[in-house]
């Protein structure tokens, strides 16, 4: 079974949860870790409990906020011995939603494809500064 984990420093993961569930509904196979948000939380204990829920044949995609950050480091250490765990750092909303909704088999090739989805979903909106009559009604026409 495919499992998804969204993990961050602070409450970013919890905020992502709210937005993800708006687009992709609640999914029991998606877990969220908001590290360092409560005084007595033990990140290692939280990670150990999470990994205890994974079956041997589960394919797990973990999204972390920062490469080399403590959340990423601790999850990486825990995942070292599991060939069915993949970690993507620097995630964004479109890539997590893609991972949740996709029916593709989770493997190294698919993970590389997901990274490209994340890269391709980042861009700029070209603003036309000469059009002073732009209103919401014309925006999408």
């Amino acid at each position: 079974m495919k499992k998804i984990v969204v993990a961050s420093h602070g409450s970013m993961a919890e905020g992502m949860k709210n937005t993800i569930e708006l687009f992709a509904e609640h999914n029991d196979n998606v877990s969220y870790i908001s590290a360092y948000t409560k005084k007595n939380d033990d990140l290692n204990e939280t990670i150990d409990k999470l990994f205890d829920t994974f079956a041997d044949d589960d394919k797990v995609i973990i999204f972390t906020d920062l490469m080399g950050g403590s959340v990423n480091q601790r999850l990486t250490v825990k995942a070292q011995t599991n060939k069915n765990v993949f970690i993507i750092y620097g995630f964004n909303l479109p890539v997590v939603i893609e991972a949740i909704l996709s029916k593709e088999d989770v493997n190294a090739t698919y993970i590389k494809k997901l990274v490209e989805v994340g890269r391709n979903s980042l861009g700029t909106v070209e603003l036309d500064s000469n059009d002073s009559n732009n209103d919401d009604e014309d925006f999408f026409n």
Side-chain angles (χ1 to χ4, degrees):
M1 176 174 286
K2 178 172 64 176
K3 305 279 186 144
I4 307 287
V5 178
V6 179
S8 71
H9 297 82
S11 56
M12 179 181 176
E14 190 63 30
M16 291 290 287
K17 175 183 179 185
N18 294 332
T19 305
I20 288 166
E21 289 181 353
L22 178 68
F23 289 104
E25 299 183 347
H26 175 76
N27 185 325
D28 289 332
N29 294 324
V30 183
S31 301
Y32 301 88
I33 297 175
S34 294
Y36 313 117
T37 57
K38 297 179 182 136
K39 188 174 182 176
N40 295 324
D41 278 352
D42 181 336
L43 182 57
N44 289 326
E45 183 179 316
T46 300
I47 291 169
D48 288 343
K49 285 179 182 178
L50 176 69
F51 271 72
D52 287 345
T53 68
F54 301 151
D56 290 340
D57 60 342
D58 284 342
K59 303 285 181 122
V60 182
I61 304 170
I62 299 174
F63 294 97
T64 66
D65 53 357
L66 294 170
M67 172 61 176
S70 58
V71 174
N72 177 271
Q73 288 179 27
R74 291 179 186 183
L75 283 160
T76 299
V77 167
K78 185 68 177 179
Q80 288 289 341
T81 59
N82 191 328
K83 64 181 173 58
N84 290 330
V85 175
F86 303 89
I87 300 175
I88 297 174
Y89 63 86
F91 66 88
N92 56 32
L93 181 63
V95 73
V96 177
I97 291 174
E98 171 73 22
I100 292 168
L101 298 178
S102 174
K103 303 292 185 207
E104 289 190 50
D105 186 43
V106 177
N107 55 41
T109 301
Y110 175 67
I111 296 302
K112 288 178 184 177
K113 180 180 173 182
L114 277 179
V115 170
E116 285 305 310
V117 167
R119 285 185 182 134
N120 292 335
S121 66
L122 182 64
T124 61
V125 174
E126 298 298 324
L127 302 175
D128 184 3
S129 60
N130 295 328
D131 186 10
S132 61
N133 293 330
N134 192 5
D135 60 29
D136 289 342
E137 218 172 281
D138 293 334
F139 184 75
F140 293 106
N141 295 328

